Structures are given as C-alpha cells and as structure tokens.
Amino acid sequence: MRRCLPSLALLVALALPGAASAHKMFLVPSATVLSDGADAWLTVDAAVSNDLFYFNHVPLAIGGLVVTAPDGTTLAPENVARGKYRSTFDLHLQQAGTYRIAVVSDGLMARFEDAQGKPGRVRGRVGALEIPAGATKVEISETQNRVETFATLGKPDQAALKPTGKGLELVPVSHPNDLVDGEAASFRLLMDGKPAAGLEVVAIAGGTRYRDRQGEIQTRTDAQGQFSMTFPAPGMYWLNASVEGARPTLREAATRRASYTATLEVLPQ
Amino acid sequence: MRPLLMIALLALPMATPALAASADITLEIPRLDVAEYHRPYVAVWIEGEDRSVAANLAVWYQQKEGKDAGTGKQESGAKWLADLRQWWRRSGREQRLPIDGVSGATRPAGQYRLHFDDAGPPLAGLAPGAYTLKIEAAREVGGREVLAIAFQWPPTASTHLQASGRDELGAVRLDLEP
C-alpha cells in the first residue's frame, strides 16, 4: 500500500474519520461468468479512486495478490503490469469452478506529531515503519485490507471461498457469481473467523460518472454477521464494510482497523 | 437436433398418430437488416414452477472453433454460451457440452419446427403439472430476448399457444396434442 499512497489528497481523506471518506480500492474483472470449457482467460484491473469504476487516481498495489483456484491451489497471475492509474494482470483459468481474486494487506500505520508539532502519518510493514526522529504522540495502528472479486468458469462452487480466519472476510450464502437483478442476495461477514455483528455494509453501483447521486445501498449485519441486499439494477457493484478498534494481531500496534471490499457483478434476469 | 428436426419435417404431411401426447414448437429467427449479422445462439427449454429446468429441448451455438474476423484467432464458440444468460444460469453451466440430442449448430433466419412427444425423452417422464416453455436468443453485436409460454402437461385437449418476439425472435408457437 505504501507506494500507492503518494497523494496528499488521499492522506487527508484517510485522516478523516470513517471509511466512507477514503478513496475506494477495487478490482474490475473482465468477466465474472465464463462458459468456455476448461481453458479461459480473465483480465483484472486494480485501482484506487473516488469514482467507480474509473481509473483516475492511483493504481492499487498488488503485491498482496492471492488468487485461489477452484481446487484450493494458488494461481499465479500473468502479464502483470503497473500503469499510471491502474495495475493489471491476466489469469489463465484451466479448471472449472469459482476463483477468488484477492489483494490482501496487513500493515502498520503511525500517527504522530513531528518535531515542529505538525501532525503526520506513515505507513509500513512490520520492521519497516519509518517514524521521524523527534516525533511525539505516536499512535501505531494495524490496518488489514482485503479487496477482492470472484469469477466462475462453468458451474459455481465453494472451495475457493473458504475464509482464512484473518481480518474481515465475506462468506457466501448466495454465491457471488450467481447474482441477478431483483433477487435478494445474502452474505455473512466474519471478523477473524467469527460473525461480525452489527456492521454497516455499503454497496454502490459502478458508473458514478453518469449520475448525480452515489446511490448507496446500506444495510447492517445481524447477530450472525449476515446481511441481505437486493440489487436494484444489473451492473458491477462495489461492496464495503470495515471494523474499527479491533484488538491488533501485530505486537507493535495499539489498535486495528480491518476493511473488506468486493466487486460483485449483478446480471440481468 | 438434426435427426429430430428431420423426423419433424417428415411427419409434417402425415396425420399425427394419436398415441402419444406431443408438443410442437415453431420458432422464427427473424431476418434482420443490419450491417453485421451473426446467427443467434438459441436455447429452448421447459421450466418447472420453481423455475428449475425440467427439460432442455434445443441449444444452438457455434460448436466449432471459429476464426475471429478481427484478429484471425481461433476462438471456441462455447465462450459466448454465457450470453444466453438465463439458460446458462438455469442449466447451461451444469451441462457438459455438446448435449446429445439437444445441442446443434446455429441456424440462419427462418422458421423452425421442433417436434417432441412423450414416447421418448425428454418429454417421457415429464411429471404432470404447470410448466413454462422458454426460448432465449442472443446474437453477437445484437441483442438478447427471452420468450415464455405457460402450459399444462400433459394436455387434455388440443392447445395452441403463442408468443411474439420484438427483436431477436419472431413468432413462437406451441401446439400441444393430447
């Protein structure tokens, strides 16, 4: 994440309270439902921007890319490139079933006041957090992000969708590649493998450039971490939730923020 | 499909033997005045009341690997089966293609008649009840259209039902004989 956060605007946005004010991280797959037997190609773009799904800010760093194939093995990306506005990679799908494409990060962020008393912040991995000398009021927090999407060649299945038990994750009740216009879809959110209850979930349809409102769909998870949504129209949706103030898993951090983001495609009936 | 279609055509001038309940589907692929025309992919199936697929009747798609006009690259015609979105979701993704006796090549514009009776699959063994005949067509650089005709099986009397497409399908008729 460090290299994709060069802009002052983004740092300011991140400094504001709440997740909604940050730039949006997202993956955009070239297709989510594929029918060509057992040999298909998928291309995925990865970016960070305010607008969905436009590449107009910075590319998403994909060092933490993990692609899980239907048999549970990890698939290596091909033709990986980092552009000015987006990262991109291809996936050669050679097994029928569902693939989970996730960019996962677990890092540290420090807020502080520098020697002149000006507020500052830095991000870094464990052992590589560079807090300037003379900084005071140092608060270190852990940030866990999972940004993912799904694609299915042939029949949808579940093996790649098993939760890892780390951070905030989505568990399907409805299959993420079986979503259609006007049908309610349900999912569960887990925090460290346990139900994430009472969490606000937001979904926003792509194409924000061509409308005046964000059109956020909001709901909340129940005691089992489950939520349900009916997508009002076909399209690509950005789904997001986050947990603030969780107990950190990294020794250096005092607190933890975990966020989950998925790109879901809803097809016409 | 071809043998079935031929049987249907041969059977046309003859009196239908009243031994078995039958379903005759007549569907029209319209002639379209467009700059770039590709034959549509077409799926015909019977849906139960719970929308599950009770029988696949026909799937017409490009079975051979074709050459893409733009790139000259070989592409599998199955790649575009998912464009028959509703059929793909309800049934196609569960199937291993080609489906014996069901799938076949794409057809040019024209009227097609499919004959089925309960003497053989897929209608033999279709439980009595309410069903919907679904016809979906999707065309490269064109549109997609789904038509539905509700019917009761088996028919108790001669029944003639129809639906009309707007873009990718013409008139569709379902003639049921007890």
Side-chain angles (χ1 to χ4, degrees):
Chain A
M1 280 310 298
R2 279 169 305 160
R3 288 191 57 211
C4 79
L5 297 172
S7 113
L8 184 64
L10 178 55
L11 294 182
V12 170
L14 280 170
L16 296 169
S21 53
H23 280 62
K24 299 175 181 78
M25 297 185 280
F26 56 80
L27 301 176
V28 181
S30 56
T32 60
V33 173
L34 298 107
S35 60
D36 35 3
D39 187 70
W41 284 90
L42 186 73
T43 193
V44 182
D45 291 319
V48 183
S49 86
N50 272 332
D51 304 315
L52 297 171
F53 289 95
Y54 306 107
F55 316 124
N56 58 14
H57 184 51
V58 289
L60 180 66
I62 53 171
L65 176 68
V66 182
V67 181
T68 311
D71 65 359
T73 57
T74 301
L75 180 66
E78 296 182 40
N79 304 322
V80 180
R82 182 190 174 93
K84 203 71 189 155
Y85 284 138
R86 54 132 178 68
S87 302
T88 184
F89 54 91
D90 289 340
L91 297 173
H92 192 187
L93 314 182
Q94 292 176 291
Q95 292 172 36
T98 299
Y99 293 74
R100 176 160 73 170
I101 303 143
V103 175
V104 185
S105 65
D106 192 349
L108 294 170
M109 184 185 71
R111 294 180 195 209
F112 52 84
E113 283 184 9
D114 67 11
Q116 283 74 47
K118 278 204 285 187
R121 61 168 58 206
V122 289
R123 285 169 181 270
R125 294 203 190 100
V126 173
L129 190 67
E130 289 165 15
I131 301 168
T136 56
K137 297 186 183 169
V138 178
E139 285 172 31
I140 300 178
S141 60
E142 178 182 358
T143 51
Q144 273 180 330
N145 294 319
R146 172 174 282 272
V147 181
E148 63 185 14
T149 192
F150 309 90
T152 295
L153 181 60
K155 191 178 171 180
D157 58 20
Q158 304 281 341
L161 308 180
K162 283 196 199 101
T164 64
K166 288 181 195 152
L168 193 57
E169 293 179 280
L170 184 94
V171 177
V173 177
S174 305
H175 194 287
N177 291 138
D178 194 26
L179 308 176
V180 296
D181 177 22
E183 272 185 22
S186 298
F187 304 98
R188 285 179 74 205
L189 282 170
L190 301 183
M191 178 65 182
D192 296 337
K194 295 186 191 77
L199 216 56
E200 187 178 76
V201 184
V202 172
I204 303 174
T208 53
R209 187 181 287 167
Y210 309 118
R211 61 177 191 259
D212 293 335
R213 293 193 167 90
Q214 287 288 314
E216 293 185 344
I217 306 166
Q218 287 177 332
T219 187
R220 205 168 269 282
T221 60
D222 64 15
Q224 282 72 49
Q226 191 162 326
F227 66 95
S228 176
M229 245 174 211
T230 301
F231 299 99
M236 284 283 188
Y237 284 81
W238 182 83
L239 183 112
N240 179 259
S242 60
V243 171
E244 307 274 354
R247 180 204 282 271
T249 65
L250 302 176
R251 190 164 39 82
E252 295 84 347
T255 184
R256 175 166 54 134
R257 178 176 189 279
S259 83
Y260 177 83
T261 302
T263 304
L264 301 172
E265 187 173 34
V266 177
L267 289 170
Q269 285 269 2
Chain B
M1 266 331 295
R2 190 144 291 160
L4 269 180
L5 192 67
M6 278 174 61
I7 292 165
L9 291 173
L10 288 171
L12 264 181
M14 298 185 288
T16 315
L19 296 169
S22 68
D24 282 278
I25 299 157
T26 311
L27 71 90
E28 187 192 5
I29 296 174
R31 197 168 298 282
L32 300 170
D33 188 15
V34 289
E36 183 183 344
Y37 181 79
H38 300 274
R39 295 176 182 182
Y41 278 27
V42 176
V44 184
W45 73 99
I46 294 173
E47 212 168 73
E49 279 186 298
D50 60 355
R51 301 202 65 184
S52 66
V53 173
N56 276 312
L57 302 182
V59 181
W60 299 341
Y61 72 108
Q62 186 198 307
Q63 295 169 294
K64 280 188 195 144
E65 293 212 337
K67 240 185 199 155
D68 181 86
T71 63
K73 263 180 66 180
Q74 295 288 330
E75 273 201 331
S76 161
K79 179 171 179 175
W80 311 109
L81 273 173
D83 288 353
L84 291 167
R85 287 190 207 112
Q86 199 171 115
W87 175 76
W88 183 253
R89 181 172 188 241
R90 296 286 172 202
S91 177
R93 66 192 191 186
E94 314 275 338
Q95 308 293 335
R96 183 178 285 269
L97 284 135
I99 310 170
D100 196 26
V102 173
S103 58
T106 55
R107 312 285 153 104
Q111 214 179 48
Y112 297 92
R113 189 158 172 214
L114 312 174
H115 173 82
F116 303 93
D117 60 45
D118 63 3
L123 293 191
L126 187 66
Y131 293 95
T132 304
L133 175 72
K134 285 276 180 99
I135 303 102
E136 182 172 21
R139 185 168 53 88
E140 187 179 352
V141 300
R144 183 184 78 116
E145 187 157 36
V146 188
L147 293 180
I149 300 177
F151 67 97
Q152 291 286 331
W153 185 263
T156 50
S158 218
T159 312
H160 307 282
L161 303 160
Q162 54 192 329
S164 254
R166 234 179 25 181
D167 302 307
E168 301 299 338
L169 287 165
V172 174
R173 266 203 351 252
L174 173 63
D175 297 304
L176 300 164
E177 296 298 335

